[in-house]
Every structure is written in C-alpha cells, then in structure tokens.
Amino acid sequence: MKRFSAVLLILISFSFILHAQKIDVYQRPLKYERSRDYDAKHYRVILTFDLDKKSFWGENKITLSPLKDDFKECVLDAEELTVTSVINDQNLPLQFKQTDKHLFVYFSKAYSYGKAVSFTVKYHAEDPKYGLFFDNEGPTNPKMVSTVSWPEYAHHWFPCYDFPNDKVTNELIVTVKNNNKVLSNGRLVSVKEDKEKGTRTYHWSQELPHSTYLFMLAIGPFVVIEDSLGSLPVNYWVYEKDVKDAKWIFKKTPYMIDFFNKLFGYEYPWAKYDQVTTPRQGGGAEATSATVLGEQVIHDKRAEQDFSWERIIAHEISHQWWGDLITLRTWAHTWLNESFGTYSDYLYTRYDKGEDEGAFDLLRKKNQYLREAHTRYMRPIVFDRYDHPQNNFDSHTYPKGAAVLHMLRFVIGDKPFFRTLKHFLHKHEFQAVDTHDFMIAIKEATGQNLDWFFEQFIFKPGHPVFDISYTWDENIKKLKLKVIQIQDTSKDIPIYKIPVIIGIVIPKKKMSKKVWIKQREQVFEFSAEEKPLMVRFDEGNYLLKEWTFDKSLDELLYQLKNDDVIGRIWAASELIKFKDNSRAVNGLMDRTQKDKFWAVRRSAVQTLGEIKRREHVELFKNKCKDKNSKVRTAALKILGDYQDSGLILFFMEQFKKDDSYLAQAEALRSIGKCGDRSQLSFLESAAKMKSPRDVIKKAADWGIKKIDRKKGKGNFFYDYCPPI
Ligand SMILES: [Zn+2]
C-alpha cells in the first residue's frame, strides 16, 4: 500500500482511529427550509429574574406582518414556558392553546397580507433545560445566568419564530437584583435603579434585524472592562477574579475588528462589541454585538503558549459579519457561517503571526477535515440531511470549507475574491442567504462563472487524491510530470478540474508553471536547462488534497532544507523511507537544530522518534530545551517511549523546570511509561498541582495507572490522547 501524506498520518490520533465509527450520513432525514406564514418584525421582551429561585417571568410583545391573507391564527415556538395570557393591542384577551413545543394564538378577526399585527404573550419559566441556564456559584464562576440560543433554543426563554430565515429587531428589558449586571444585544438604552426594591432594570435595544439564534442574555456580577475602536465601544464582561488576565487576553480585540473592517470592506455593523465569559460554553458562541465565550478563555500568561484562545476570539469577531450580518437561510448552508469564520481566523493568523504560522494553521485545518473524512464520513459541504442542526457543525463545515475558500481565492485571484466578499456583504446585509446567493455574488463581482468549482467542492463529497511522479530526460532536457487522480469515484466523488502550480528548482533558477488538472491521468512536460533539484506539486499549498510523491533521497534532503514550511514538514516525514541511510538521519538531526520554524523541527524530531535509535537519546534530551514548547513536548513523548528508568531523573527535572503545562504533563506521562513504582509518590504529589483544564493532574493520574497496570500485566501498553 502506498503511504499517503505522512503529514496527515502523524497528526491523526491513533486512538481516535480505533474508536471512530464510519457513519452513513445519507441515512439522516432530508430537511427543507422552514415555511412560515408571517414575517416577525419586532420582539419587545420584558423579564424579571430571580437567580435564587432560578425563575423568570414577564412578556413578549410581538409585532409581525402576515405573509398571507386571512391570517387568523399565529403559531409561535415556545417550550418550557408557561403562558398565562395573551392580549391584543387594546388589552383584550386573545384565545390561545399551548402544546409541548408551540403556542397557538387565535385572533378575533382575520388580517390580510402585509398588515401590521401585534399582541403580547405573558409567561413565566423555571430553570429551563435548554436555551437559558441558571448557574450556582461554583469554584470558577459566580452565580449567574447565560443563554445558548443556538441553534433553535431561543424559544426556551421567549416565545418567537425560532428559525434563522427570519430576522427581527428587538428590545430586551430585564430587571435583576442590583448586585448584578445585564448584557444583551445592541445598544444600552438605559439602566434604571429602584432603590426601594433593590433592583436594576437594563433596557437593551437591537435596532438592526437579526435571527433569533443570535439573541443573547447574560446576568451576573460582572466587572466591565471598557475599551474602544474609535467611536465603537468594545467591552469585556468578566468575573471579578479574572480582571487582570482579561485585560491582556482581550486587548487585541479592537485591532482584530479593525483588521476585519478593512479586509471585508464593510465597517463593523453593530452598535458595540462585547465579550462575556460563562461556564456554559466550551468555545465561543457568536451573537450580534455580544459574543459569549467559555470561561477557559481566561488564563495566566504562562498558559498562553499551551492554551491560547486568540484564534477563537478572532473567529467569533468575524461572525459579526459572517453569520450575524448575513445569516445562513437553513442549516444545510452552515458553511456560510462557519467556513467563512474559520477562513477569517486563518486570515487573521496569517496577518498577525506571519506566513509560516499562517501556512501551518491552514495545514492543521486541512488535516482536521481529512481525519474526519478517513475515520467518520465524507459528505457535501452543503448538506440537507441532518437529525439536528449540530450534525452539520463538523470538520466539513469548519476546516474543509475554509480550505475550499482558500482554493476559490487561488482560482479567481486575490482581488476578485475580496471584491466578491465585499459585494456579498453589502448586497445581502441583514438578510438570510444560501450558497446560490454567494455563487451569484461571484458572478456579479468578477464576471466569472464558478459553478463548476462549487459542483466539485461544495455540492459533492470528497477531495482529490493525487499520485505524482516524474522522469528527467537528460538528452532532451525535459521533465515529464505524471499526475493521476486516484480517489474513489464510486461514491459521487468526481475527477477534479483544478489549476495547480508546479514549482521546478534547478541550480540558480526557479520556475513556477500553472497547469490545469482535468483528467484522471495527465502528463505535463517542462523544459529545463539542468536536472531539477526539486519538483514541487502545488507550490503555494493552495489545494485541499492528499498525495503521494516518491522522491529520491537527494531531492528530499534538498526539500527538507530549502522548501517552504509545508514542504519541509512533508520532507521530514517522508525521510522515514530512508531510515537506514545515515545521510537521511544526519539531515533530520541537522534540521531538529537549525530549522527556523518550530513545526519543521518537531516533524524532524518525530521522524527520528519513529526511527528510535538508542544513540539519539541525547539529541531528544537536547530538544527538551527547544524554545518552542510543542517541540519540547514531542521530544519528551519520544523519550518516554524508550521506557528507560535511567531517564526518570531527567523527566523529573523537566517537570520541575519547564514553563509549559503541556510539556510538564508529557514529562509525567513519560515517568509513568517507565513503570517504576518508586515514582508513585512523585506522581501523586504532582497530581495535586493546579493547571488549566487539569492537564497536570490528568497526566499524573495516567502515569499512576500506567505503573499500576505494568505491575499487574507485565508490559501492557496502550495509546493515549494528549490533551489539546
Ligand atoms: Zn464559528
């Protein structure tokens, strides 16, 4: 069997493959866009909260416009809410019926198409299971309330039409005890204090239309750190204990908004931008003008190298355009939110961290998708089969779509690509859109018809898999490059049409030629003055692909030293094919020290780890001093695999002096792998150390278990997933 992209294989977690199951996503039910018979215009929600009793009560005044004649009955989504009355504009009661999921309101007369209709629903609720959460004071958080309206849970805290194809303006007027603050979407109209009752009423107004899953509410004793971008207020709502760290963690927010303003060609659309931390989010959840972030976003400076949320902060900011300003019409088109958001966080990484980090981030995204494609399923990016919208928020939607946008940019060119984004945003601002709207935007902004591109990469599953080889004819000075597409085309995966850049390096000269791949098998001929030192397929790394490309030792050694970071990482992993050759080993050893990019050094370390020679122990020990913690962590893992008790003292030293939590955790696991019972007390005391996400405790516990198992079962060994 041919060895596919080694970069991919290294990054795939072995245990994940063991436990993953193939899923037939085509068995999922077909879902259509929801039909509606009215257009909701405005929700005026007035609520009072009792955080001790975990209850809230109040009303929603709904203004809507019928989309049909003879509109006599209105069906609203409402769950876990107890409706006590519905009244019309004249304060007269209206008939209503409540079922598990819906509220039916019956009008006393029929309304015709386009008329304004308004009525008020009075209701109360206690500690709902979905949508709105009451949290007791915990070890990390104060007593508070936060919402998760996504994807269709807003109707668990106010009755509404709860599907993203409708956009409304809204007010949220919330009364709480005066030790709390209230955050919501839009502009803060007023805060009124009632000293007698000891309450405060916050009046928020979102004056620009948005979908219900973007409604948010947070109540708690937050400290608000004020910041700004010009006249735009930018605030960070955090727990009191987190203020010091929140200041540096969020400080790039205005700079990120400014970057996206210029990149997208559309000024930030909302009245302000807030970020708030809650115990209910694992990552981040966008909401118009107010992003809800998991409380783990806050950590000390030391943890930044291991657990930085900078990319997530940028990703969520970009949703203020992708998702919030323009919104997916149905959950089949999740990529319009998430692929654009994920591509935006790549663009920010490329801008802020430079070309190498940008390239590596894109590789990481591609591999995330490929892992899902190999171990779970392949589906079209636009996919209308799902049990629940969450099904579509996977590695096809986030990283694959981002990689496809990068290819699209390559195909149409930088300027036309960003012109298209700008046009798409301006044309469809405050609207719900689907993929065809984007395809039309490309045609309008560039004149180009990219339907063939969408057909391959958006509406069909899979990705190209190339087998590449070449020959050099010294007599006629010609290079013949053969490209075969070897993907399995039986599952609706096409033979791809796509341009690709071939890079040819000869001594003192470099050529780049763009060719079009169109058939299953093609041969391209290039003239060169001398035999190439390196032939590069997909120079610039624009394509989402897997590939095999058997190269000579000389070429791989040249590539390892001279190519871009992605080529160097690939060459380092390919050199395993020459593991018995001293030139290959020496080349890798050289790169572990001298390469300027950490991921190349790590790739070289990992290949040497696969070769696993006794004489390399000193080299790996030396790499535990690398300035990048990920390289140190990789070296510690490899050293642990020697299961050599003679290294225990070294691991203990590393544990004590490394400033990376993840490297420390790896040192503990390596102690565990040695299986020496005398180390149990060391691991037990290490397990008491506090660390973000408990990575130290988990590693120490793993090490203890490992030693215990070794005693009982001899050389028992199992793989593990390092925490990320
Ligand atoms: Zn997102």
Side-chain angles (χ1 to χ4, degrees), residues 223-443:
V223 174
V224 183
I225 303 166
E226 294 186 358
D227 202 347
S228 64
L229 172 65
S231 59
L232 178 75
V234 176
N235 300 318
Y236 319 126
W237 297 56
V238 299
Y239 312 155
E240 197 170 356
K241 70 174 176 61
D242 290 336
V243 169
K244 190 171 139 251
D245 287 320
K247 279 184 182 164
W248 66 264
I249 281 172
F250 290 128
K251 79 165 192 263
K252 281 185 166 175
T253 304
Y255 159 79
M256 291 171 177
I257 297 172
D258 191 44
F259 167 67
F260 289 131
N261 270 342
K262 289 170 183 147
L263 188 72
F264 301 150
Y266 191 110
E267 276 294 300
Y268 180 84
W270 314 101
K272 47 84 177 165
Y273 187 64
D274 288 317
Q275 290 168 110
V276 61
T277 56
T278 82
R280 286 285 168 173
Q281 279 292 337
E286 73 273 19
T288 55
S289 80
T291 289
V292 184
L293 290 164
E295 60 189 15
Q296 297 88 343
V297 64
I298 311 284
H299 48 243
D300 57 25
K301 279 201 168 150
R302 191 188 146 197
E304 183 64 7
Q305 63 187 319
D306 297 321
F307 303 104
S308 173
W309 277 52
E310 190 172 338
R311 211 164 30 75
I312 299 175
I313 291 171
H315 176 103
E316 300 304 333
I317 291 172
S318 78
H319 275 313
Q320 298 299 317
W321 290 264
W322 310 115
D324 297 6
L325 177 62
I326 56 170
T327 306
L328 45 75
R329 185 171 271 287
T330 80
W331 304 111
H333 299 268
T334 46
W335 84 293
L336 293 175
N337 287 19
E338 294 305 343
S339 305
F340 282 64
T342 306
Y343 192 53
S344 299
D345 74 56
Y346 154 74
L347 290 167
Y348 170 75
T349 302
R350 168 71 185 80
Y351 170 74
D352 186 64
K353 316 281 178 216
E355 191 178 340
D356 289 353
E357 285 290 352
F360 186 73
D361 182 56
L362 202 58
L363 173 72
R364 201 179 51 79
K365 288 178 182 1
K366 289 174 183 175
N367 284 339
Q368 252 180 325
Y369 154 69
L370 290 171
R371 179 164 49 198
E372 185 165 88
H374 278 270
T375 59
R376 302 189 73 211
Y377 54 80
M378 284 191 259
R379 66 165 178 87
I381 285 179
V382 171
F383 197 54
D384 51 10
R385 288 183 177 276
Y386 48 91
D387 296 301
H388 189 277
Q390 270 102 323
N391 289 150
N392 275 358
F393 286 78
D394 58 3
S395 291
H396 283 67
T397 286
Y398 289 80
K400 183 182 183 186
V404 168
L405 282 172
H406 193 65
M407 280 196 289
L408 178 66
R409 177 180 161 189
F410 167 61
V411 172
I412 65 177
D414 277 7
K415 277 191 177 171
F417 178 78
F418 288 105
R419 193 162 65 237
T420 298
L421 295 191
K422 182 177 174 180
H423 173 61
F424 187 40
L425 287 168
H426 283 275
K427 183 181 176 191
H428 294 288
E429 56 181 4
F430 308 108
Q431 293 174 12
V433 292
D434 67 21
T435 302
H436 291 93
D437 294 318
F438 182 53
M439 294 164 74
I440 291 166
I442 296 172
K443 289 173 188 164

Side-chain angles (χ1 to χ4, degrees), residues 45 127 162 216 237 279 282 300 328 463 482 496 506 515 541 546 558 563-564 601 644 648 661 669 677 697 703 711 716:
V45 181
D127 200 12
D162 203 2
M216 69 77 65
W237 297 56
D300 57 25
L328 45 75
H463 55 271
K482 191 196 235 182
Y496 290 90
I506 58 173
V515 298
N541 314 296
E546 287 179 89
Y558 181 88
D563 202 0
D564 63 26
R601 297 198 299 279
D644 177 356
I648 286 176
Y661 289 107
R669 277 191 287 267
R677 292 194 66 75
K697 180 178 165 28
K711 184 188 161 223
F716 183 83

Side-chain angles (χ1 to χ4, degrees), residues 498-661:
I498 189 82
V500 62
I501 297 175
I502 310 299
I504 300 165
V505 181
I506 58 173
K508 294 185 189 146
K509 196 174 167 189
K510 188 177 166 309
M511 296 179 284
S512 297
K513 309 267 185 193
K514 188 189 258 190
V515 298
W516 278 83
I517 309 272
K518 287 177 180 168
Q519 295 153 20
R520 178 179 282 280
E521 188 170 330
Q522 274 170 283
V523 176
F524 302 96
E525 285 193 10
F526 306 95
S527 294
E529 291 139 42
E530 289 178 75
K531 186 182 178 203
L533 293 166
M534 178 173 82
V535 176
R536 184 70 150 77
F537 181 78
D538 188 24
E539 187 179 83
N541 314 296
Y542 295 105
L543 306 190
L544 171 61
K545 65 185 186 300
E546 287 179 89
W547 74 100
T548 57
F549 196 166
D550 277 327
K551 292 192 170 189
S552 68
L553 174 62
D554 283 335
E555 183 170 347
L556 284 176
L557 287 172
Y558 181 88
Q559 189 165 3
L560 178 67
K561 233 174 155 172
N562 298 290
D563 202 0
D564 63 26
V565 290
I566 304 303
R568 303 206 301 276
I569 291 170
W570 181 80
S573 61
E574 279 291 285
L575 279 165
I576 191 71
K577 291 175 178 169
F578 298 94
K579 63 180 181 181
D580 297 322
N581 186 298
S582 60
R583 285 175 62 219
V585 171
N586 290 339
L588 286 165
M589 286 172 68
D590 178 65
R591 289 296 99 192
T592 62
Q593 302 297 337
K594 292 186 188 152
D595 200 284
K596 65 182 193 308
F597 192 63
W598 65 270
V600 182
R601 297 198 299 279
R602 184 177 70 173
S603 185
V605 165
Q606 284 167 329
T607 304
L608 288 171
E610 280 185 71
I611 295 170
K612 206 179 174 187
R613 288 199 192 152
R614 191 74 224 175
E615 68 259 32
H616 290 155
V617 166
E618 281 310 310
L619 177 137
F620 295 130
K621 281 168 93 170
N622 192 265
K623 286 323 291 171
C624 294
K625 292 185 211 143
D626 195 282
K627 61 179 184 279
N628 187 288
S629 61
K630 295 178 185 78
V631 180
R632 301 199 298 275
T633 305
L636 279 162
K637 181 177 186 303
I638 291 162
L639 283 171
D641 290 341
Y642 283 89
Q643 301 184 13
D644 177 356
S645 299
L647 288 168
I648 286 176
L649 268 180
F650 176 79
F651 294 139
M652 288 166 87
E653 273 301 301
Q654 291 308 119
F655 173 74
K656 281 177 198 155
K657 73 181 183 199
D658 205 299
D659 70 351
S660 152
Y661 289 107

Side-chain angles (χ1 to χ4, degrees), residues 150-163:
W150 175 91
E152 293 167 14
Y153 290 123
H155 68 281
H156 290 252
W157 59 285
F158 62 98
C160 59
Y161 174 84
D162 203 2
F163 196 79

